Amino acid sequence: MRKIKIFDTTLRDGEQSPGVSLTMEEKLAIAEQLSLLKVDVIEAGFPISSSSDFESVKNIAQKIRDVEIAALARANYKDIDCAWEALQEAEQPRIHVFIATSPIHMKYKLQMNEEQVMERAVEAVKYAAKYTNNVEFSAEDASRSELEFLYKLFEKVIEAGASVINVPDTVGYAIPQEFGEFIKKIKENTRNIEKIELSVHCHNDLGMATANTLIALKEGADQAEVAVNGIGERAGNAALEEVLMALVTRKDYFEDLVVTQDTTKILKLSNMVSQFTGMVIQPNKAIVGKNAFAHESGIHQDGVIKERTTYEIMKAESIGLNSNKLILGKHSGRHALKEFLISSGYTVDEQTFEKLFIKFKDLASKKKNLNPLDVEALINDELYKTEDYFKLKYLSVTTGNTTLPTATIKIARGEDLIEKAACSGDGPIDAIFKAINEIAEEENITLISYKIEGVTEGTDALGETTVKLKIGEDVYVGHSVETDITQASTLAYLNALNKYMTKKLQTAKK
């Protein structure tokens, strides 16, 4: 039996998705959930890319134990020094060094020849190996590289101290059968390949990232580099949930491969990543989409009622989609909510619990039948919100088919100052956002996207609102859940502004 390692790059490649910007607190929360899922490696970020990325990697390295923590570095001393500085307090640090190896990348991007690339790669791996014996080397754009060159390069970096060799399909160019043969030839023709772990990192530009990853594992790869919900550059990466559940569900085919992850943590992690990134999961998304375990066709419903396996190849419970038997409502007390938190994997201090309990009772008074998803959305909204610089004090909206939509709003700025604004707009939400902008007095605020979705069914469902703002060159994602969609929209917009203000104030202190 061959143990397959799951290397998650949600916090590095995943955050490189256009329009995604995670706070340090959100990254740590995702890392904690990845740890609970028992992934083998968390790629926490690219420390040299920004001071915030450096601090985030350092924070995760300090706080997440029992998991290898990786940091990305280009093949140069400065990047490697920075990666190690961020990683050095990790229980199991890994430096992930990369350089491009395809003819097109070497010629146009690097402007280097094969000999120069090989020399740089070997030098970088030797340098990283002075810090740790856990060094991963990636040949960027490997799937479009010359095999003979890769054989020699991999042999040299193994000699230099690499413990993991990664073969990325960087631009999603490979076809499954072709990529399987590619991995097989690398295994057969690279000297000392048995001394290291062989990894693959597949992108989804042609929609085949998961298939390419699985065939590579079948042909001898030891590690799959994946991201939650398949997020990442361009069309994204191989999806963690798809690769993992394929290996678990089709044990008959992948009979010699073993994974040790707790798949019941998948759904919670998926929802968290979607919430924090503002990237909505399509309903028909494999494994984690809302329709993944839903049946509307009468024929399908009849089959599932008679025997679940007629139309379901996985149990919904296997990814964490199980109904909680504890009934939560307006008569529930602190003990019931505490039991829900414990059973759902949340750990909170007493002060935070009291805040949650107040919000829970408020929600229960508005909504007669609480679904576990309602409560979980409420918990996530409270636990991972940004410190408020702007606080909503008053909101009034008038609208109608014969009324000019108008919003009147009062917002506390900082400690004491309360400001008021009233604006009309093309609908109540537009009026609210205009009024907030008038108070915020920040230039160059652009609303990139605004989404609102019901957490559960029914007219009293919580409205889960996501707002993306571009302020200057950066993007900020705001999120809120409320039964009142105008209030949810207001709080989501303020949440995004507060993330901007947090960063602005931190920068000013430096």
Side-chain angles (χ1 to χ4, degrees):
M1 304 297 285
R2 196 155 51 84
K3 165 77 166 64
I4 298 300
K5 275 191 170 184
I6 300 298
F7 174 115
D8 183 87
T9 186
T10 304
L11 299 177
R12 200 276 300 170
D13 198 324
E15 203 204 9
Q16 291 174 201
S17 303
V20 171
S21 179
L22 299 169
T23 65
M24 188 184 300
E25 293 76 16
E26 288 169 341
K27 288 183 178 182
L28 181 61
I30 291 170
E32 287 170 344
Q33 288 303 311
L34 287 167
S35 177
L36 289 173
L37 192 142
K38 298 178 183 176
V39 299
D40 299 284
V41 187
I42 297 172
E43 187 167 47
F46 189 6
I48 197 71
S49 64
S50 68
S51 59
S52 61
D53 223 40
F54 174 88
E55 291 299 331
S56 181
V57 173
K58 186 176 181 179
N59 189 39
I60 290 168
Q62 290 171 337
K63 294 178 180 177
I64 302 297
R65 318 316 275 174
D66 302 321
V67 180
E68 291 181 49
I69 306 297
L72 190 68
R74 290 166 297 189
N76 65 63
Y77 292 170
K78 188 177 179 182
D79 276 31
I80 294 166
D81 286 338
C82 186
W84 179 249
E85 189 180 347
L87 280 175
Q88 57 187 325
E89 294 183 58
E91 192 172 74
Q92 302 174 65
R94 176 186 292 194
I95 298 176
H96 183 186
V97 177
F98 76 97
I99 193 169
T101 57
S102 67
I104 191 168
H105 274 240
M106 288 189 290
K107 180 179 178 180
Y108 294 105
K109 189 178 80 170
L110 299 180
Q111 297 181 343
M112 297 168 68
N113 59 36
E114 288 185 353
E115 289 73 23
Q116 290 171 318
V117 167
M118 190 174 297
E119 183 180 345
R120 177 75 66 82
V122 169
E123 195 176 68
V125 170
K126 279 183 178 178
Y127 189 74
K130 291 179 181 179
Y131 288 123
T132 175
N133 60 8
N134 190 354
V135 178
E136 177 170 342
F137 172 75
S138 281
E140 186 185 7
D141 205 24
S143 58
R144 293 194 294 173
S145 301
E146 299 294 334
L147 271 169
E148 291 295 332
F149 175 53
L150 289 181
Y151 301 154
K152 294 174 188 175
L153 175 64
F154 291 161
E155 179 185 337
K156 293 293 183 183
V157 294
I158 292 169
E159 288 176 5
S163 56
V164 181
I165 299 293
N166 182 38
V167 183
D169 181 27
T170 303
V171 292
Y173 183 73
I175 302 296
Q177 186 174 356
E178 171 191 60
F179 195 60
E181 283 295 314
F182 196 76
I183 297 301
K184 187 178 180 182
K185 286 176 181 177
I186 288 171
K187 290 279 289 185
E188 291 172 346
N189 294 284
T190 303
R191 188 182 300 177
N192 293 325
I193 195 78
E194 72 281 354
K195 293 182 178 180
I196 56 91
E197 293 173 353
L198 187 62
S199 178
V200 290
H201 180 137
C202 298
H203 277 260
N204 206 39
D205 297 69
L206 292 176
M208 289 181 274
T210 296
N212 284 331
T213 301
L214 291 170
I215 197 165
L217 297 175
K218 184 75 171 174
E219 291 294 346
D222 307 294
Q223 175 178 277
E225 304 201 1
V226 295
V228 178
N229 299 337
I231 67 173
E233 290 274 15
R234 304 179 313 280
N237 292 281
L240 176 149
E241 62 279 1
E242 293 174 13
V243 171
L244 195 51
M245 290 310 296
L247 292 171
V248 170
T249 305
R250 292 303 310 274
K251 285 180 181 176
D252 58 326
Y253 183 75
F254 299 104
E255 56 187 356
D256 61 330
L257 308 184
V258 177
V259 287
T260 56
Q261 281 64 48
D262 181 357
T263 63
T264 63
K265 307 298 183 187
I266 285 175
L267 189 64
K268 182 176 177 180
L269 175 61
S270 170
N271 289 337
M272 178 182 283
V273 170
S274 175
Q275 175 183 320
F276 290 168
T277 60
M279 298 178 75
V280 176
I281 302 166
Q282 65 193 62
N284 62 321
K285 166 76 174 66
I287 315 300
V288 294
K290 285 187 176 180
N291 294 349
F293 291 91
H295 305 275
E296 186 162 331
S297 161
I299 295 172
H300 286 216
Q301 289 174 344
D302 179 60
V304 169
I305 290 168
K306 290 174 178 174
E307 169 53 49
R308 180 191 60 80
T309 57
T310 53
Y311 287 102
E312 287 188 2
I313 61 171
M314 297 168 281
K315 288 184 178 179
E317 292 84 357
S318 67
I319 66 161
L321 187 65
N322 55 330
S323 57
N324 195 301
K325 292 180 181 178
L326 191 64
I327 305 301
L328 293 170
K330 65 179 182 179
H331 300 298
S332 298
R334 285 175 170 79
H335 182 71
L337 183 59
K338 280 185 179 178
E339 284 295 313
F340 181 88
L341 286 166
I342 293 167
S343 65
S344 301
Y346 293 99
T347 303
V348 299
D349 57 36
E350 281 302 315
Q351 186 178 0
T352 305
F353 176 78
E354 287 303 319
K355 289 181 183 178
L356 280 173
F357 186 69
I358 291 168
K359 290 194 76 172
F360 162 71
K361 294 295 278 187
D362 181 53
L363 174 62
S365 67
K366 297 175 185 176
K367 189 171 173 19
K368 184 178 179 181
N369 297 312
L370 286 182
N371 185 296
L373 291 177
D374 289 317
V375 183
E376 197 153 305
L378 184 78
I379 293 166
N380 286 337
D381 189 49
E382 176 62 33
L383 291 185
Y384 306 117
K385 69 178 182 182
T386 306
E387 186 178 345
D388 292 342
Y389 177 81
F390 295 109
K391 296 178 183 177
L392 179 65
K393 293 296 182 181
Y394 172 84
L395 173 67
S396 176
V397 179
T398 58
T399 188
N401 66 334
T402 59
T403 304
L404 181 66
T406 305
T408 303
I409 192 166
K410 286 183 182 178
I411 293 173
R413 179 198 288 268
E415 294 297 323
D416 306 309
L417 186 62
I418 295 179
E419 298 187 35
K420 179 180 177 180
C423 290
S424 58
D426 185 15
I429 304 302
D430 183 47
I432 290 169
F433 291 172
K434 283 180 177 177
I436 294 173
N437 286 346
E438 189 173 301
I439 292 172
E441 296 179 335
E442 292 291 341
E443 296 181 0
N444 302 321
I445 299 178
T446 304
L447 178 63
I448 297 175
S449 69
Y450 164 75
K451 297 171 186 172
I452 189 157
E453 187 174 17
V455 174
T456 51
E457 296 177 356
T459 56
D460 60 353
L462 279 175
E464 185 170 15
T465 309
T466 303
V467 168
K468 280 188 184 180
L469 301 180
K470 186 173 183 181
I471 308 176
E473 296 300 316
D474 297 321
V475 174
Y476 300 89
V477 178
H479 184 268
S480 182
V481 288
E482 297 285 341
T483 51
D484 183 330
I485 62 169
T486 56
Q487 186 173 344
S489 302
T490 305
L491 293 174
Y493 200 93
L494 289 175
N495 183 231
L497 274 178
N498 283 327
K499 289 181 181 179
Y500 162 72
M501 288 304 302
T502 299
K503 185 174 181 180
K504 183 179 179 180
L505 293 171
Q506 286 173 348
T507 304
K509 286 178 183 177
K510 294 176 183 177

